[in-house]
């Protein structure tokens, strides 16, 4: 009997995750057969930079227009107003210029291309708690000086139906 209850609880958990509501609070500015672009349409992006290079010498990149390809590891589940980019074991929070667009909340795991600017900011205890809550992971964002990418454009690949 306990085994049947455990299987039922597992099935309910998996099915509720499969049907979690995906929020899309912004329309793409461009779509093609393979991708959607949110924010500004960038005609000629700068040369690609690796996230690991940016984080090894961040002061070199502050205030510069950057382009990079990166994996989205986590997305704000409240609105899609930020995500955590990951590459080669390094992570950084990506927000959106002037809070003017959002990304779909289901893009975790996808490789995106973004154009933006690196900034340095101070994250307070309250901000860290707020960001952690929006990621659905208590304590995942720490307080203190942090670097963040402020994206003006994010190109997201579409999921390919199997």
């Amino acid at each position: 009997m306990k085994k049947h209850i455990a299987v039922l609880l597992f099935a309910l958990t998996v099915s509720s995750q499969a049907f979690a509501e995906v929020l899309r609070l912004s329309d793409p500015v461009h779509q093609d057969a393979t991708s959607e672009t949110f924010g500004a349409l960038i005609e000629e992006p700068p040369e690609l930079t690796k996230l690991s290079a940016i984080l090894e010498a961040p002061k070199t990149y502050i205030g510069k227009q950057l382009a990079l390809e990166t994996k989205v590891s986590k997305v704000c589940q409240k609105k899609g107003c930020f995500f955590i980019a990951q590459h080669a074991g390094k992570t950084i929070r990506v927000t959106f210029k002037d809070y003017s667009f959002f990304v779909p909340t289901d893009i975790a795991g996808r490789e995106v291309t973004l154009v933006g600017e690196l900034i340095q900011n101070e994250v307070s205890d309250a901000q860290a708690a707020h960001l952690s809550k929006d990621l659905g992971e208590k304590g995942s964002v720490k307080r203190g000086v942090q670097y963040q990418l402020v994206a003006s454009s994010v190109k997201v690949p579409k999921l390919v139906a199997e």
Side-chain angles (χ1 to χ4, degrees), residues 1-161:
M1 182 68 168
K2 288 183 183 180
K3 185 176 179 180
H4 294 298
I5 292 173
V7 170
L8 178 61
L9 288 174
F10 176 76
L12 288 172
T13 301
V14 170
S15 65
S16 68
Q17 290 172 354
F19 296 108
E21 182 180 352
V22 175
L23 294 177
R24 293 178 64 93
L25 298 180
S26 292
D27 291 325
V29 294
H30 177 75
Q31 293 187 65
D32 59 32
T34 61
S35 67
E36 299 178 301
T37 301
F38 296 88
L41 186 59
I42 306 297
E43 296 296 327
E44 294 182 37
E47 184 177 321
L48 288 175
T49 306
K50 293 194 180 295
L51 180 59
S52 55
I54 294 168
L55 294 177
E56 285 172 10
K59 293 187 189 286
T60 306
Y61 295 97
I62 290 177
K64 292 184 179 177
Q65 181 88 345
L66 303 167
L68 62 136
E69 291 178 347
T70 186
K71 182 178 181 179
V72 176
S73 66
K74 302 172 190 172
V75 181
C76 167
Q77 292 300 294
K78 190 172 181 182
K79 315 187 238 203
C81 62
F82 71 93
F83 66 83
I84 305 299
Q86 179 181 19
H87 187 286
K90 305 280 187 179
T91 61
I92 193 166
R93 186 165 51 101
V94 178
T95 59
F96 310 116
K97 187 174 182 176
D98 299 327
Y99 207 64
S100 60
F101 68 96
F102 304 99
V103 294
T105 58
D106 68 341
I107 66 168
R110 296 191 218 175
E111 291 280 334
V112 301
T113 303
L114 67 89
V115 175
E117 178 181 338
L118 184 70
I119 65 167
Q120 179 180 322
N121 64 349
E122 180 79 28
V123 176
S124 69
D125 287 330
Q127 289 170 317
H130 173 82
L131 294 169
S132 294
K133 181 180 176 188
D134 284 357
L135 286 172
E137 299 176 354
K138 185 176 180 180
S140 63
V141 177
K142 305 296 180 202
R143 68 177 294 277
V145 174
Q146 295 182 1
Y147 295 97
Q148 142 187 346
L149 282 164
V150 180
S152 55
S153 179
V154 179
K155 184 176 181 179
V156 180
K158 291 181 178 178
L159 288 177
V160 179

